[in-house]
Amino acid sequence: MTTLPEIRTHSSYSQLAVGSHDAVVAVYTGADILTQQQMPYTDWAAAAAPFRQIDKEFGKSVALVPAPSVGGGRLVLSPIDSVDDDTDDVRKVFDAVKSGVARAIEAGARRPAVYLAPLPASVNTVPDADYSRWIEVALLAALDASYVTLVVREHRTATLGADAVVENLHSIDLVVESLSDEELRSAVKRATAIEGGRRLALDMGYGDPERMTPYKCAETIQAAAASVPGLEFEVIKDLDMIKQDYPLLYHSARASFAGKIGYEKRTWPCVVKLEYRSPVPTQVKEHLYLVGKGVTYDTGGISLKIGGSMRGMSRDKLGACGVAGFAVATGLIQETAVDLSCVLAFERNSIGPNSLLPDEIVYSRAGVRVLINDTDAEGRLVMTDPVAECRERILAARAAGSKVPAAIYTVATLTGHVIRAYGWYGATVANGPARRGRYDQRLAVSGLAYGDPFENSIMRREDHAFVRSRTDREDVYQSNSQPSTLTDRGHQYPAAFIIKASGLDKHSVGAGASAAIPFVHVDIAGSAEDGSEPGLGLCGITGSPVATFAGAFWS
């Protein structure tokens, strides 16, 4: 991971020394801000006046104007058109800050001051918005503009050496006159921890299929975890052990380890485990078991992706990337309220003579017979046995006398259906105990505050009926043979499969409070990318759900 720019906070613009920065990025709402007779608006209004006289559109979008009174002579005005209309939310702040900082960088600034004008009180009246974390969101936006991807850092370093720019900004001066110094420091602490974890997710996510093979993903996580207090790393590479403990992952990955031993080993599967323990055990409120899908490339297997649909499948690992990022962020902030147990299943879903085949029946870790209908539905396979392992661990902890509430979450870019249903948003699908405890709604609430909104889908009886076996030859159907986008409830029913194949069906509401285990499936196929393709390139990566999980689970 890279070192973040130095961040200095100021609760008054008068604290800002001209020599400390080389641009001011002013983010504000309301077109009349440049007419206010108070510092710093008076000088800014004078600098902007000539442009306002000749351009009636001036002030409606990001603008760079020369301003002798600010450091570097660069004043970037980045207005927010509204924050209190029906569909406005804190993403308006994120977009304005990122656009403004990016414009400053384009102009040559490396040490911008970001001035955040107070939001109007009317933001508290918007029904589906939450601006309570807007300072953190603004800082995350500035850091996002500063970030340079791992693959670009490596390229620049290899070609330019010591002259390589591996971080766009050297420092950020954050000026917020509506908060105290203590409040600003708290916001910076949370935001920088989130960004540290988010950057791990982005570094891995942007890696192409060869730069981020399963083993290289594991190495990247290990390097990041080594410097994080309280975070323990383990990797399982032995194929016999994977076959025994994670049989569905093993069979899904079979084609990736066919061929010449050694050469093909770079594509072999592995399982990464991360364990984080609170530095204050008496303050732990819950133990989270997080399972991440890490398919480093998805060809579809023998159910081959066709018609160009294989493009972008190096991004099918973003669930595991997000879980690893959240674990690192939690360790960086030394969160006391949670313990974490993370299981990340990495594989390349290849095609070859040893491919997993439709019509095969394979046994899950829980002893459930799974009929394979589509090898392109590999995500639910690689996560199911880790879920079964988490279930076993929760039961063992309870048997040993633990009273700490525990829940299981799966995180994956699982279906195209969720994008068809909701666009570029993530969705949760929860079992009965999780719905009763509002676990899925916690993510929706946190997502609003951090600009990563989630939809709460509800599991219905049809989802369980869809995968229920009709013969005595198998116990559960893995999927149908159609793309999820052509299947009714295509992002909901996979959660029903995971529940059945992992043995979680024995821990529903009907099992009673003492046996119930909350389970939430988080499909980030929509939220993991920004939906904006640059020409023929791939979309940008957002780092979802690192910030949302932080908001939901940190104290």
Side-chain angles (χ1 to χ4, degrees):
M1 296 185 297
T2 57
T3 302
L4 300 183
E6 180 185 2
I7 300 171
R8 298 179 290 265
T9 59
H10 312 273
S11 57
S12 172
Y13 184 77
S14 62
Q15 298 174 354
L16 191 63
V18 173
S20 70
H21 60 284
D22 56 8
V24 167
V25 178
V27 180
Y28 56 91
T29 60
D32 62 341
I33 191 169
L34 295 181
T35 66
Q36 296 184 36
Q37 299 301 308
Q38 60 190 66
M39 284 293 293
Y41 303 127
T42 302
D43 288 351
W44 295 353
F51 299 90
R52 299 184 73 189
Q53 290 175 358
I54 64 172
D55 184 0
K56 66 178 183 178
E57 293 297 304
F58 182 82
K60 296 182 179 179
S61 59
V62 177
L64 171 67
V65 300
S69 65
V70 305
R74 304 180 182 99
L75 174 62
V76 178
L77 301 174
S78 190
I80 305 174
D81 58 352
S82 69
V83 290
D84 53 9
D85 209 349
D86 286 6
T87 59
D88 288 341
D89 59 48
V90 76
R91 287 175 295 174
K92 286 286 193 76
V93 175
F94 184 96
D95 294 343
V97 173
K98 184 175 179 180
S99 297
V101 173
R103 183 66 186 92
I105 292 170
E106 290 173 351
R110 293 295 177 264
R111 297 176 290 111
V114 178
Y115 180 91
L116 302 178
L119 296 179
S122 56
V123 297
N124 297 317
T125 66
V126 183
D128 294 309
D130 181 352
Y131 290 87
S132 62
R133 299 289 181 183
W134 76 284
I135 303 300
E136 295 170 48
V137 170
L139 184 53
L140 288 168
L143 291 169
D144 192 46
S146 179
Y147 170 73
V148 177
T149 65
L150 173 63
V151 290
V152 173
R153 299 197 307 268
E154 292 176 338
H155 168 72
R156 289 177 178 175
T157 300
T159 55
L160 300 175
D163 295 329
V165 175
V166 295
E167 183 76 27
N168 287 326
L169 298 179
H170 300 314
S171 64
I172 299 171
D173 281 283
L174 183 65
V175 185
V176 190
E177 295 187 328
S178 57
L179 294 182
S180 68
D181 290 333
E182 182 178 350
E183 290 173 318
L184 279 175
R185 285 192 293 269
S186 176
V188 169
K189 181 181 179 181
R190 288 177 64 95
T192 52
I194 291 170
E195 181 67 8
R198 183 176 163 276
R199 287 191 174 199
L200 172 61
L202 297 182
D203 280 355
M204 294 167 61
Y206 278 113
D208 66 59
E210 287 299 304
R211 177 61 186 86
M212 284 296 166
T213 63
Y215 282 13
K216 289 181 179 178
C217 284
E219 292 168 3
T220 303
I221 296 170
Q222 183 177 19
S227 60
V228 178
L231 187 62
E232 297 182 359
F233 169 92
E234 178 188 357
V235 62
I236 301 172
K237 296 181 179 179
D238 183 80
L239 289 182
D240 290 334
M241 187 176 295
I242 291 174
K243 185 176 183 179
Q244 174 181 310
D245 293 342
Y246 310 98
L248 297 182
L249 167 63
Y250 174 88
H251 287 292
S252 178
R254 279 184 343 215
S256 70
F257 48 79
K260 298 178 181 179
I261 300 300
Y263 175 73
E264 295 295 336
K265 199 169 184 176
R266 76 188 196 286
T267 67
W268 284 14
C270 65
V271 175
V272 170
K273 294 185 177 183
L274 295 170
E275 296 284 339
Y276 171 79
R277 293 297 176 265
S278 166
V280 187
T282 56
Q283 294 184 11
V284 173
K285 297 180 179 178
E286 57 188 329
H287 191 142
L288 307 177
Y289 290 82
L290 308 178
V291 174
K293 172 189 173 184
V295 179
T296 61
Y297 200 80
D298 182 15
T299 68
I302 208 74
S303 304
L304 189 67
K305 292 181 181 290
I306 61 174
S309 60
M310 202 183 298
R311 179 178 180 271
M313 285 298 105
S314 61
R315 304 287 178 79
D316 216 13
K317 59 184 179 291
L318 293 181
C321 297
V323 171
F326 173 63
V328 165
T330 302
L332 289 174
I333 203 169
Q334 287 292 279
E335 176 57 44
T336 61
V338 297
D339 285 339
L340 303 179
S341 294
C342 309
V343 187
L344 315 177
F346 288 102
E347 71 150 354
R348 179 182 288 188
N349 187 21
S350 300
I351 186 170
N354 198 35
S355 291
L356 177 68
L357 301 173
D359 300 351
E360 282 192 55
I361 295 176
V362 293
Y363 283 80
S364 73
R365 178 183 177 119
V368 178
R369 297 171 299 165
V370 177
L371 173 63
I372 304 300
N373 284 327
D374 185 355
T375 65
D376 195 18
E378 83 295 333
R380 66 203 69 176
L381 293 178
V382 306
M383 293 193 297
T384 291
D385 291 328
V387 169
E389 178 184 15
C390 294
R391 165 183 168 262
E392 295 165 10
R393 292 186 59 184
I394 291 173
L395 294 178
R398 289 178 179 176
S402 174
K403 302 298 182 183
V404 177
I408 302 173
Y409 294 77
T410 51
V411 184
T413 50
L414 202 70
T415 67
H417 185 276
V418 77
I419 300 176
R420 295 291 293 170
Y422 296 130
W424 298 101
Y425 293 86
T428 62
V429 186
N431 72 350
R435 287 285 295 169
R436 183 174 58 185
R438 303 172 67 90
Y439 287 74
D440 52 344
Q441 294 180 46
R442 284 172 68 184
L443 297 182
V445 170
S446 173
L448 284 178
Y450 279 97
D452 183 21
F454 275 81
E455 308 289 353
N456 291 144
S457 292
I458 299 176
M459 197 180 311
R460 303 292 185 185
R461 61 184 181 180
E462 288 84 0
D463 301 317
H464 290 277
F466 190 69
V467 298
R468 186 178 300 122
S469 171
R470 271 61 164 184
T471 80
D472 59 1
R473 296 182 294 274
E474 68 279 315
D475 300 311
V476 66
Y477 304 134
Q478 167 233 18
S479 70
N480 61 357
S481 58
Q482 296 296 316
S484 68
T485 52
L486 301 179
T487 302
D488 291 346
R489 305 187 63 79
H491 77 270
Q492 291 101 323
Y493 87 83
F497 165 79
I498 294 173
I499 289 171
K500 174 64 177 178
S502 68
L504 271 180
D505 57 327
K506 302 176 181 64
H507 304 279
S508 64
V509 168
S514 62
I517 297 177
F519 167 71
V520 181
H521 169 58
V522 185
D523 193 335
I524 60 168
S527 61
E529 296 182 296
D530 62 14
S532 177
E533 294 187 353
L536 298 179
L538 300 178
C539 295
I541 297 174
T542 64
S544 176
V546 176
T548 293
F549 274 29
F553 303 126
W554 291 356
S555 55

